[in-house]
Amino acid sequence: MKKGVFITVEGPEGAGKTTIIEMLADELEREGHRVLKTREPGGIEIAEQIRKVILDKSNTAMDPRTEALLYAAARRQHLVEKVKPALESGMIVICDRFIDSSLAYQGYARGLGIEEVFSINRFAIEGMMPELTFYFDIEPELGFKRINQHKGREVNRLDLETMEFHHKVREGYLLLMKLFPERIYKIDASRTIEEVCEESKAKVKQLLEMYR
């Protein structure tokens, strides 16, 4: 592979993103690919510190614009410090959340406007967009049922939002699919982990064929 490939994974709470990323990365590494798994917000020290502020349950007074700016700041640092170097070295980068999370959560669900939030992030990412984005689609009620069954998962500030908010997040993602159909690939995440993983692997392999 002559250049790196940037893949992002999106979806509402409880969609199974983290599990699928682990399985997908393991499969690609077994096939001889060099893979970097990372997440947003976070992935590096500065961005992890910002993550703590964003997701702290005590920060309920946080203004939506402040929230959007903090996500963009964490994204920028993560991109230049971790993602770009990995891509430049020819790695496959799989990131748990990226710009589409900001567009769905802050742009649409918070009502700030998709274009307004996109403009903040254009400054942050300088045109670096993923080659492929998976959107794991699931009804919020089922997603939270899974979360509640997951013992040991820390409850964060976004988990405290109303179910109406999480339905708005899903609406936002479905709108983004229409805006970026060439990049965003929808997968039904209500199925078993094995089924979701198999479909994800098939799509990634199809993408990698283009970079041989």
Side-chain angles (χ1 to χ4, degrees):
M1 193 181 301
K2 295 182 179 179
K3 60 166 284 188
V5 177
F6 189 19
I7 299 169
T8 57
V9 181
E10 297 281 355
E13 314 304 315
K17 302 186 309 302
T18 305
T19 303
I20 298 299
I21 288 170
E22 289 288 340
M23 296 171 71
L24 190 56
D26 287 347
E27 175 76 11
L28 290 169
E29 287 173 344
R30 280 195 295 270
E31 293 178 357
H33 297 286
R34 294 186 302 125
V35 181
L36 171 67
K37 298 174 292 185
T38 190
R39 71 171 182 176
E40 279 200 359
I44 46 105
E45 185 176 351
I46 293 173
E48 288 289 345
Q49 291 176 34
I50 297 173
R51 178 188 180 92
K52 289 178 183 178
V53 174
I54 294 172
L55 297 181
D56 190 330
K57 289 185 292 183
S58 65
N59 290 337
T60 54
M62 186 179 293
D63 179 79
R65 289 175 185 251
T66 301
E67 183 182 64
L69 288 164
L70 285 172
Y71 274 116
R75 179 163 299 128
R76 172 64 184 178
Q77 190 66 30
H78 177 241
L79 197 65
V80 297
E81 190 173 333
K82 191 171 187 179
V83 175
K84 286 181 71 174
L87 292 172
E88 288 166 1
S89 73
M91 297 184 76
I92 299 172
V93 176
I94 306 177
C95 188
D96 187 343
R97 297 196 181 282
F98 190 57
I99 189 171
D100 298 296
S101 283
S102 289
L103 301 181
Y105 281 79
Q106 285 76 49
Y108 190 84
R110 297 269 191 233
L112 295 180
I114 287 176
E115 183 53 40
E116 286 76 4
V117 174
F118 206 178
S119 68
I120 296 169
N121 282 277
R122 284 194 186 98
F123 177 75
I125 66 174
E126 292 186 293
M128 179 165 284
M129 292 290 285
E131 279 77 30
L132 171 66
T133 298
F134 285 116
Y135 165 54
F136 291 167
D137 185 49
I138 192 170
E139 289 281 354
E141 289 81 2
L142 178 55
F144 275 91
K145 182 179 178 181
R146 287 179 175 178
I147 288 172
N148 293 333
Q149 292 171 344
H150 193 292
K151 304 301 181 184
R153 181 188 183 275
E154 183 181 0
V155 176
N156 63 51
R157 190 170 60 86
L158 291 176
D159 294 333
L160 304 179
E161 295 288 349
T162 64
M163 196 57 67
E164 180 183 6
F165 173 82
H166 291 289
H167 275 284
K168 291 285 288 183
V169 169
R170 184 173 184 238
E171 288 175 17
Y173 275 122
L174 294 173
L175 176 59
L176 291 175
M177 281 189 56
K178 295 177 181 178
L179 294 175
F180 307 105
E182 73 292 341
R183 175 174 61 82
I184 301 178
Y185 182 79
K186 178 183 174 184
I187 292 182
D188 179 3
S190 67
R191 299 172 300 164
T192 67
I193 288 293
E194 290 75 20
E195 289 172 320
V196 173
C197 189
E198 282 303 312
E199 185 174 353
S200 301
K201 286 191 294 186
K203 185 64 179 177
V204 170
K205 289 179 180 180
Q206 183 183 50
L207 174 68
L208 295 180
E209 285 294 325
M210 299 167 55
Y211 290 87
R212 287 187 180 278

